[in-house]
Every structure is written in C-alpha cells, then in structure tokens.
Amino acid sequence: MKLVAAALLGLMLVAPAAIAAPKYVEAPPLAQVLDKTAVGDVAAGPVQVPLITWGGDIATIHANGNQAATARGSLFASEGLELNLVREDVFSKQVAAYLSGRSPYLRGTLGMLNLAADVLERDPRTRPVVIYQLTWSAGGDALVVKSGIGSAKDLRGKTLALQAYGPHVDYMTKILGDAGLSARDVKLRWLPDLTGTENAPLAAFQQADVDAAFLIIPDALVATSGGSVGTGAEDSVKGARILLSTKTANRIIADVYAVRSDYFNANRKTVESFVHGLMLGEEKLDALVRDKARRGAEYKAAMTAAAKLLLDSAQAVADAEGLYADAEFVGHAGNVEFFSNPNYPRGLETLTREAQGAFAAIGLTQGRAKLAAAGWDYDRLRQGLAATASAETQRFDQGQVAAVVTRRQQQGTLAEGELFSFEIFFEPNQNSFSADLYEQAFAKVVDLASTYGGALITVEGHSDPMAYLRDKKEGKPDVVLGRVKQSAKNLSLSRSVAVRDSIVAYAEGRDITLDPSQFAVVGHGISKPRGGLCGEDPCAPKNEREWRDNMRVEFRIIQVEAESDVFKPL
Amino acid sequence: MAHNRRRGGFAWVIVVAIAIFALSRCGDDDEPERAARGDRAPPTAAESYARAAANDSWPRLEEGARPEVAPDQLATVNYYVVLDGSGSMQAIECSGGVSKIEAAVAALRRFVGAVPADANLGLAAFDRADVTERVALATGNRDAFRAALDAVAAEGGTPLRSAISLGFERLTAQARRQLGYGEYHLVVVTDGVPDPSSEDPTRVIETIWADSPVVLHTIGFCIGEDHVLNRPGRSYYVAAESPDELQQGLGAVLAEAPSFDVATFPN
C-alpha cells in the first residue's frame, strides 16, 4: 500500500500537467518511421544486449553478475560471453540500433517485434530470429474503462488511448478481436510515451473524450483509485475501473529476444550460450527469491542492481520487486511450448499470425513478414537446469469457484465482470455435444481459455420451458410443477457438464491441455429464458425460432480478479 | 522524456470490492435458517416455489460457503425418512396381525432395498428417545439404516413439527453441499395426528412448499385421508390401510420425476 500511496502522491505532483490535453501522435508503419536508417554490420567487441524496464529483465541482469558489463564468475561469463547490457525502452531507437549493427539483439514484446517485422525483413541480414521467451505479462498491464463500458463488446464506437508502437498494441487488437470487433470499430488515440509524462495514456484517459486506455498497472491503479472504482479524486477518473488486466489475460503479452539472421548464422553457438545463460539466470533468480529470507544479502544485491539498471535508482528496490511480481517466467518448459509445440494455442506462430493480421488491417504494418524461430535443441539446453518439466497445476479452487458462481447466480450478478460471451444451441432431448457438431465454438472456447488463463469460464445450461408451461396451463398441481422445475435445473446442469467434458476432450484430442478448474458449470433450468419472464413464468415463445432460442448453452468469460478466494495460493 | 517505464513497479494491489447484494426474494440474512427451522411466517396462497419459474434462491448460499461434494455428485437424489415411533404405533390394526411399527419397519426395509445405491438416504424418528436423527444422509449406509429401523421403540407422543423441521433442515444443509442441484424428498410415515397446541406442523409444511423444491411425501398409516399433512396439490399423500398399501406408497416415492423436456412446438 505504501507503493500505491507513493504512486498517487507522485501523480498529484504532476497533476497540473496531467490535466492539460496530451499531444497525440500519428502511428504510421515503423517501416516509414525508420525509412532512412541504414543497415550496417554488427559491431565487434562486447555484444550490446538491450534491456527494457520489465521484471523479466531482472533475470538477465542476474545472469550477467548483477551489472551492465558481464562480471567475472557470472552465468554469462561461464558461458564464455562478454556482454554489455543497455536499457532502451524506446522501441524505435532499439530497432535503429539493431539495423545499424550496434546490437544484434532486439528485446521487446512479441507484439512490438511484429510491428517492426516488415522493416526488419527488408534486408536479409536483419531478418529476425526469435530465440527466447522470457515471460508472460501476468498483472503488469491493464485495460481501464470509464462507466458505461461493461464488457469488451461495449468498446464499439469508443475512443481508446494507448502508446504508439508500445507493448499494448497487440493486447488491444486481441481483446477487440475476441469481442467480435476490430480496431476499425473504435477510435484510436496514439501517445508517444507509455507512462510518467503528460503525453502518456493516463493523461489521455483523464480527458473527457477518451473512454478507455491501455495502461501499465501503477497508472491503472491511479486511475481507478487503487484498483476499485475511480472516485475522481487524486488523479483518478470518476467511475473508471479495470476491465481486464494481464492477470486475467495472461497469455497475450509475451516478452522475447530476437537476433539478426546474419549474426545468428555466424554465431549460432554463441547465441545458444546466451539463451542457455538466460535460462540459468531465470532459474537461479527464482531460487534466490524463494530463499530470500536466508540469502538476504545476495537477494538485496540482485534487486539493487535491477533497480539501478532498470529504474535509474539503486534505491528503487521495492519498485524492482514489483516489476518482478508482474512477470510470469516461462522457463525451459515454456520455451519448448512456445517455440516447438505446433498445437500450443499461444505459441509464436499463432501470436504472430494474430498480431500481423490485425496490424496490417489498420495500417500499422505494410504486410506480413516472417518471424523465424531459432529451432534450438532443447534437450541440449536442458543441461544444468534443475526444472525442465512443466507442472500441470490447477489455478482455481474449484469448490470456491462453484460457490461464487452459484451465489452470483442466485443474486443475478453472474454477468458482472463479463468479458466475452457466446452461445451454442441444441435440439430437444439432446444430451451429447460432440465436437463434430460444435467444432467452431469449441475451438473458440479453447482459444479463450488459453488466452485468458486468469478468467473463469462459465458453461451455463438452459432448459426448454415449454413442458413446464404446458403443465401449468393444464392445471397440474404445485407438487408436479416443482419436480418439473427442479428436473429442468438438473438437466441443464448435466448438459453443461457434458459440454464442458466435450470441450476438454476436444482439446486433449489436439494435444492441448486445458485447466479443468477454469471451467464452472451452471444449470439455470428454466429460470432465465431467452424470451424473458412474463410475470413469474417464462414468456411463451411465439414462434419456433423463439422456442429454439431457449435451448442453449451459454459461455461466459468472467474477470474475477477481485475474488481472490477463487485462486489457488501459489 | 522521463524514463519510459514499461509496466510494473508497484505492487499489484486490488481493492476487493465485491458488492454483496441482497437476494431479490429475501433481504434477511437469517431467512434460510428460519426457513429450514420452519419459523417462517405463513405465506400467502399465491406464493409457491414451484410456480415461480425464475425463483432459484434455494438453498441460500452464504458468503464463503462451498460445495462439499464432488462435481459429478451435484445432482444426487436425496431421501430423508421421518418415522413415527409414537406409542400408537404399537397397536395392531390394519397391519396384518403385527404392530403398526413392525409393519412400517418391514415396509421401510424393503424400501431401502429399492433406493438407488447412489442416492443419499437419511432417517429421523421420534419414539421413547424423542426426536433425533438416527442415520445421517449418505450413501453406503443401508445396513445402518436397517439397524436404526429395528431399534425404534414405539412410545410417546407425535412431535411431527419437530421431526419434519429436522428433516427439512438436513435436506437444506445437503442442498447447500450440492449447490441446490439434485432432488430432495422428505418421506413421513405416521399413524397419528399431532397435538395442535404444541406440534402443529402447518408452518413448516407451508415453508417447504413456498421456499424450496423439497417434495413432501406422507404415508398416513391407518388414519385415512383426513390428516394435517394431506395438502392436495402441494405434497404427495397416500392413505395406506394395509401393509401392502404402505409398501405401494413408499414405492411411489421412488417414481422418477416427470419428464419435461419432450417439447413439441404447438404451432
């Protein structure tokens, strides 16, 4: 809370500047921005490796011996490397250094790399080879909205602010796409900065004509009065709330390293050593963090170095710790999954295809370009690592999830926190839901479950109320109607369970592992007919279409970040 | 430009802001407990859980409640038997030459054999040991159930309200474990009329009808149709005048719920 208070205070100090209208920029393709940058050969001497201010980079610093120039005895030194770590958060400057040869490496999110892919591809020497995934963003970034925007589909026609060429561009296009929208359905306001200035998305969000913004989490907390609903005081925006953070959308923003093709082809062994050192660094840092009580001095040295290199202040240890907490390191197993498993729904190829398609559609890039994978021998990279198997864990407390969902069902608040929803329909008396009939819908559920790993997915069955209505019309007694009503509830639950099981089986058939704890089954029976209620009864359908509309299973992807009880403790 | 810090830096603190809404039907937190005890004020004739299609409020789940059954057991069927072991059950009338309690126990022993193995079964009785639960709702307890039947020693009055309240309370608690899914049957086997001054069960019966999907089955043994538990249309009532009819009445308890999903659109 001290940190949040400090953030609020910091923003109060710049409040007068934040009120002023920010300076928006255009976002032409990077190929145009960097049109005049000449391509040069990679410079000799210690290899310059870019960092950006992100928790994943703390492991890189740790592997380098907690300093910018590779320290003697460090993990990278043991790999025979001599590196110079240089922070560069302005991506276009990083790309310029990469093209000119000052550094063979690029460090960014995969979305940022895709923004630059066409400019990188122009010269065969600079075609990027993606060599390593550091992390997923798992809480560090957020979509913040003003009142009146209840779910992602409500963004249609709204004005969104975000940093040009920044880490949130593919985050934005993915969310819009999953809501059935595209960037053409919204008005975009591009900002030159990400945070900390009057030309950053937070400042834009404080303007009356901006409805939503993609913010880093400290700014999101400021805008929403600490993560709840903005009060309008202390730089918060009245009514603002976090619609979706990467705690929920935890498989969209992948942080990666890429290397120039010419350097990769000439120095493959060296690049592999760099990747191996990164893996070791991540693992050693993880062990150090877990054991920080006993290894206090060592831990302090690591975080102090990170604070100095990433935040320009050795005193900013708490901020460095915050950065670390917002990143989910993927390790050896995650890299195998990301680069080598063709069925992994959130792998390099899929994310690249999604991002490039969306970027080209709105003119951010000039076409598609290949982002090649290094094709490592991951068995060889396993050497010296302690943990290389991915542990399949259940992220949600299933009992708690079921209770929360049922309570919301009773209170009529199940739709609160809804991000996306869609339905499938069934025939009378249908009790099996094979993938043959519902492949498109099941694929969508698998994609959403994989992308929004921190969201709950409710599978909600509804029953046909016709028999109940007919019994009532025929004057059947209460004791019969009650049993019919309860049977409808039970049948709708069994249908939900059947659908959930079919989806899990569908995923397993494609070598995709879903977390069954992410799914909550609900049986509404006849209590929520599509046609609404007429008095205390479901409205009688007027035609066959209305009748069939009741026979449905509804999927709802729900943000439950505030319901901490539903998450299993790590 | 100030350092362009990408993300993070501050602890990811979310202020928990879960609005706890009152249920649309009842704003009183104690309502379900009262309902389970049968302390509810008598409802008006218009109120019926069965007739309010959108009313899905039973059982009320409290903050922090969680299911205690496996997901594949949420729809389990529950039978809770209330056996009258009052003194009048010692009489030998319309029971084939044995005492009524012996006939009832024999019928219930056969009934137990017919209850599906995956259904929960429980027993409460009132006899010389007053009203107590003899067997908790569970599967795999059939031998204990039979033994408890054999141990009923007929004596004393007819505290029907207390016994039915106990059964409803147990079914309500089980419904919380099953999140309201499943079936809930309260089966009362009795030969007597309660003392209206101390044990009038009207209120609890009205509460069951108004607030829950619990199905009340009463087997009135040798007492004809004129019984306080005979609520035409609101509960099932069988006037058993012989051991065979008693057995048939119990058999009817196990009949499947009416089918409702065969829908033909009435164009």
Side-chain angles (χ1 to χ4, degrees):
Chain A
M1 288 308 292
K2 279 181 186 171
L3 295 168
V4 176
L8 291 169
L9 181 61
L11 266 293
M12 284 170 67
L13 294 174
V14 298
I19 292 168
K23 180 181 161 193
Y24 296 109
V25 297
E26 297 295 315
L30 267 176
Q32 288 178 25
V33 176
L34 298 168
D35 195 35
K36 296 189 176 11
T37 305
V39 173
D41 291 332
V42 176
V47 176
Q48 181 175 312
V49 174
L51 302 174
I52 63 175
T53 308
W54 176 236
D57 297 74
I58 297 175
T60 312
I61 296 167
H62 189 59
N64 211 36
N66 294 331
Q67 58 188 53
T70 304
R72 190 177 298 171
S74 67
L75 292 169
F76 282 146
S78 301
E79 297 282 341
L81 302 172
E82 188 179 359
L83 310 176
N84 187 27
L85 305 182
V86 177
R87 193 185 87 234
E88 181 50 80
D89 286 317
V90 180
F91 191 60
S92 57
K93 289 186 182 173
Q94 239 199 78
V95 174
Y98 173 94
L99 294 172
S100 68
R102 288 201 303 281
S103 171
Y105 291 108
L106 267 183
R107 169 70 185 89
T109 68
L110 192 66
M112 291 154 75
L113 250 63
N114 276 300
L115 281 168
D118 50 359
V119 69
L120 304 180
E121 200 187 49
R122 287 193 301 215
D123 188 305
R125 290 173 293 176
T126 61
R127 285 182 184 151
V129 179
V130 187
I131 56 171
Y132 183 65
Q133 184 191 8
L134 294 85
T135 61
W136 292 107
S137 174
D141 307 87
L143 167 60
V144 178
V145 298
K146 290 181 181 170
S147 55
I149 300 176
S151 72
K153 64 179 183 294
D154 297 335
L155 292 169
R156 182 188 292 277
K158 299 291 193 291
T159 301
L160 278 60
L162 70 166
Q163 188 200 19
Y165 316 117
H168 298 147
V169 185
D170 57 332
Y171 185 25
M172 181 243 334
T173 54
K174 176 63 177 164
I175 291 169
L176 290 176
D178 287 336
L181 307 174
S182 83
R184 294 200 180 283
D185 294 313
V186 297
K187 295 174 195 129
L188 297 177
R189 293 275 175 85
W190 300 105
L191 284 305
D193 301 332
L194 183 61
T195 184
T197 76
E198 65 273 26
N199 293 317
L202 175 60
F205 189 61
Q206 289 162 336
Q207 305 298 311
D209 59 349
V210 172
D211 303 299
F214 288 87
L215 306 175
I216 61 169
I217 207 66
D219 289 352
L221 295 175
V222 168
T224 59
S225 298
S228 53
V229 178
T231 62
E234 296 178 332
D235 282 314
S236 70
V237 175
K238 193 168 176 57
R241 66 185 183 89
I242 294 174
L243 180 68
L244 176 62
S245 86
T246 52
K247 187 174 181 184
T248 297
N250 62 0
R251 291 293 180 272
I252 294 182
I253 303 181
D255 276 84
V256 297
Y257 267 112
V259 67
R260 286 171 51 136
S261 283
D262 57 351
Y263 187 84
F264 180 71
N265 292 332
N267 302 280
R268 186 181 172 99
K269 185 68 194 158
T270 303
V271 177
E272 185 175 325
S273 296
F274 176 55
V275 167
H276 191 238
L278 288 168
M279 287 179 175
L280 287 171
E282 178 194 321
E283 191 169 285
K284 302 290 183 200
L285 180 61
D286 177 61
L288 177 59
V289 171
R290 288 176 190 276
D291 200 20
K292 64 182 178 186
R294 205 172 57 81
R295 299 163 65 188
E298 209 180 330
Y299 173 78
K300 189 179 175 188
M303 287 299 163
T304 301
K308 188 176 171 189
L309 289 175
L310 299 180
L311 301 165
D312 293 330
S313 168
Q315 318 308 318
V317 168
D319 283 2
E321 291 174 326
L323 284 174
Y324 185 80
D326 290 336
E328 179 185 337
F329 286 88
V330 305
H332 179 278
N335 272 274
V336 173
E337 196 85 321
F338 189 75
F339 290 105
S340 305
N341 181 357
N343 297 314
Y344 180 49
R346 305 305 297 161
L348 173 70
E349 205 171 308
T350 305
L351 266 63
T352 296
R353 187 175 59 247
E354 281 177 1
Q356 291 194 5
F359 295 168
I362 55 173
L364 283 172
T365 57
Q366 294 177 323
R368 290 179 181 270
K370 186 170 175 58
L371 284 187
W376 297 124
D377 178 347
Y378 283 103
D379 283 339
R380 200 161 64 220
L381 282 168
R382 198 189 300 268
Q383 196 176 3
L385 294 168
T388 55
S390 62
E392 288 176 15
T393 55
Q394 295 201 338
R395 284 160 292 170
F396 296 91
D397 179 330
Q398 267 188 303
Q400 197 60 40
V401 164
V404 166
V405 167
T406 304
R407 205 166 50 245
R408 283 186 173 202
Q409 178 187 359
Q410 289 186 339
Q411 295 166 347
T413 58
L414 205 46
E416 279 185 10
E418 175 187 311
L419 300 170
F420 316 105
S421 65
F422 63 99
E423 299 165 326
I424 60 172
F425 296 88
F426 52 84
E427 298 293 319
N429 296 321
Q430 182 181 332
N431 287 312
S432 67
F433 297 82
S434 73
D436 296 343
L437 289 172
Y438 298 104
E439 177 154 17
Q440 198 177 354
F442 285 8
K444 185 170 180 179
V445 173
V446 170
D447 179 55
L448 291 170
S450 306
T451 305
Y452 303 91
L456 273 186
I457 298 178
T458 59
V459 185
E460 303 173 34
H462 299 263
S463 292
D464 172 22
M466 282 293 285
Y468 175 86
L469 290 171
R470 191 165 48 239
D471 284 348
K472 203 167 186 180
K473 191 174 178 182
E474 290 172 1
K476 296 274 175 70
D478 288 9
V479 69
V480 171
L481 292 175
R483 296 188 74 179
V484 168
K485 179 182 158 185
Q486 185 69 8
S487 295
K489 181 178 167 113
N490 291 332
L491 183 69
S492 63
L493 175 72
S494 71
R495 280 190 175 127
S496 301
V497 171
V499 169
R500 190 265 321 271
D501 292 349
S502 290
I503 290 170
V504 171
Y506 167 82
E508 281 173 356
R510 281 150 188 77
D511 199 23
I512 298 168
T513 304
L514 294 181
D515 175 3
S517 74
Q518 190 181 4
F519 293 84
V521 290
V522 179
H524 286 298
I526 56 174
S527 65
K528 295 186 186 308
R530 166 55 58 79
L533 294 168
C534 295
E536 55 191 18
D537 285 336
C539 295
K542 296 183 181 65
N543 51 49
E544 184 172 350
R545 170 80 182 274
E546 287 185 8
W547 170 60
R548 288 186 177 277
D549 278 354
N550 279 323
M551 290 178 269
R552 67 199 198 277
V553 173
E554 190 172 8
F555 299 93
R556 222 189 286 268
I557 289 77
I558 300 175
Q559 191 254 66
V560 287
E561 292 175 17
E563 307 234 21
S564 55
D565 287 355
V566 305
F567 296 103
K568 274 198 168 175
L570 295 172
Chain B
M1 189 176 82
H3 83 247
N4 193 2
R5 214 183 81 202
R6 192 178 96 64
R7 313 175 233 169
F10 298 92
W12 190 180
V13 178
I14 292 185
V15 176
V16 177
I18 311 169
I20 308 300
F21 293 97
L23 288 176
S24 57
R25 291 195 79 249
C26 49
D28 184 344
D29 284 350
D30 295 334
E31 182 67 12
E33 285 68 31
R34 293 217 320 268
R37 290 198 304 267
D39 292 345
R40 192 178 182 280
T44 65
E47 287 180 290
S48 156
Y49 193 83
R51 287 190 177 274
N55 183 355
D56 203 16
S57 62
W58 184 88
R60 172 85 178 275
L61 290 180
E62 300 304 316
E63 200 69 35
R66 50 183 298 147
E68 295 170 26
V69 300
D72 61 352
Q73 290 171 1
L74 285 175
T76 297
V77 179
N78 298 276
Y79 298 97
Y80 200 89
V81 176
V82 170
L83 175 59
D84 178 348
S86 62
S88 61
M89 289 289 279
Q90 292 180 22
I92 300 174
E93 55 181 271
C94 74
S95 56
V98 296
S99 69
K100 286 189 280 187
I101 190 68
E102 287 172 316
V105 166
L108 282 167
R109 288 179 69 94
R110 286 192 291 276
F111 168 77
V112 172
V115 170
D118 58 358
N120 287 321
L121 181 64
L123 174 68
F126 48 89
D127 59 359
R128 69 173 59 162
D130 208 357
V131 181
T132 54
E133 178 171 84
R134 307 297 163 89
V135 181
L137 275 169
T139 57
N141 60 357
R142 305 318 190 229
D143 288 343
F145 192 96
R146 290 187 188 93
L149 286 175
D150 292 341
V152 172
E155 186 179 307
T158 310
L160 269 180
R161 187 189 72 195
S162 300
I164 292 171
S165 293
L166 176 63
F168 183 46
E169 196 174 285
R170 294 294 191 266
L171 286 171
T172 302
Q174 181 61 25
R176 288 199 185 97
R177 294 183 198 106
Q178 296 179 213
L179 300 174
Y181 299 108
E183 289 183 33
Y184 301 86
H185 300 270
L186 184 55
V187 184
V188 181
V189 179
T190 181
D191 78 332
V193 176
D195 176 356
S197 63
S198 62
E199 283 288 345
D200 182 357
T202 302
R203 286 166 74 102
V204 67
I205 294 167
E206 293 292 308
T207 297
I208 291 171
W209 169 76
D211 286 352
S212 82
V214 170
V215 182
L216 177 62
H217 307 258
T218 302
I219 317 294
F221 196 22
C222 308
I223 54 173
E225 300 281 348
D226 186 21
H227 193 275
V228 67
L229 297 183
N230 187 1
R231 302 293 178 105
R234 296 187 179 187
S235 66
Y236 292 107
Y237 184 86
V238 173
E241 299 301 326
S242 69
D244 284 345
E245 288 179 8
L246 173 61
Q247 196 63 56
Q248 286 167 17
L250 285 169
V253 170
L254 299 175
E256 289 189 1
S259 173
F260 66 93
D261 206 51
V262 183
T264 305
F265 188 71
N267 271 321

